[in-house]
Amino acid sequence: METKLSQSLEDYLEMIHMLRMEGKVARVKDIADALSVKMPSVAKAIAELKKLGLVTQEPYAGVELTKEGEVMAASILNRHVLLKSFLMRLGVSEEVADKDACCMEHILSAETLSKIEDFVKLARPAPKRRKR
């Protein structure tokens, strides 16, 4: 059963995943700084994500994703990367594409995302062949 998260909780989950991918410990302060929010907001979100079984956290330690949390976070990040790539192919600047992808990733249907993914795959230039 897939859990439907709010946009805010998806952002927290995605940021924890990104910090962990960078080899960093996902501490409340680091998450707050990265998302430009206050630490009590992060603590509240982490408590919600814990209730949903998506993260764990030992006292005075970083936040860890559960297996289900990891799958969801990776999916959210993949949607973001896909949408950013799509927008940049349309000629949108990287900064704007990143910002817009962050908004779009939470609202587009699976069908629309699938069609965008197909489009991006088809639009990729063919790899250059090496001269011998």
Side-chain angles (χ1 to χ4, degrees), residues 7 11 80 83 97-108:
Q7 177 178 338
D11 287 341
H80 182 97
L83 291 167
D98 190 54
K99 181 180 172 194
D100 288 350
C102 191
C103 295
M104 294 168 65
E105 71 191 32
H106 305 290
I107 60 171
L108 293 179

Side-chain angles (χ1 to χ4, degrees), residues 70-125:
E70 182 71 35
V71 168
M72 288 185 79
S75 174
I76 296 162
L77 181 59
N78 288 339
R79 289 191 319 244
H80 182 97
V81 170
L82 169 67
L83 291 167
K84 180 179 174 183
S85 173
F86 172 69
L87 293 170
M88 288 178 66
R89 286 186 183 279
L90 296 176
V92 177
S93 70
E94 184 173 2
E95 181 180 340
V96 172
D98 190 54
K99 181 180 172 194
D100 288 350
C102 191
C103 295
M104 294 168 65
E105 71 191 32
H106 305 290
I107 60 171
L108 293 179
S109 68
E111 178 183 359
T112 299
L113 287 166
S114 175
K115 295 301 181 186
I116 290 172
E117 184 174 26
D118 292 346
F119 175 83
V120 170
K121 285 179 183 175
L122 289 174
R124 287 192 179 141

Side-chain angles (χ1 to χ4, degrees), residues 41-92:
S41 297
V42 176
K44 183 178 176 185
I46 297 304
E48 244 342 271
L49 292 169
K50 280 183 194 177
K51 286 180 195 173
L52 295 169
L54 300 174
V55 300
T56 60
Q57 182 187 30
E58 296 298 321
Y60 307 104
V63 180
E64 296 288 337
L65 297 168
T66 63
K67 286 183 183 182
E68 183 181 359
E70 182 71 35
V71 168
M72 288 185 79
S75 174
I76 296 162
L77 181 59
N78 288 339
R79 289 191 319 244
H80 182 97
V81 170
L82 169 67
L83 291 167
K84 180 179 174 183
S85 173
F86 172 69
L87 293 170
M88 288 178 66
R89 286 186 183 279
L90 296 176
V92 177

Side-chain angles (χ1 to χ4, degrees), residues 12 27-39 42:
Y12 284 105
R27 292 187 175 91
V28 171
K29 183 183 182 335
D30 300 322
I31 298 166
D33 290 345
L35 292 174
S36 300
V37 297
K38 297 187 185 297
M39 288 181 21
V42 176

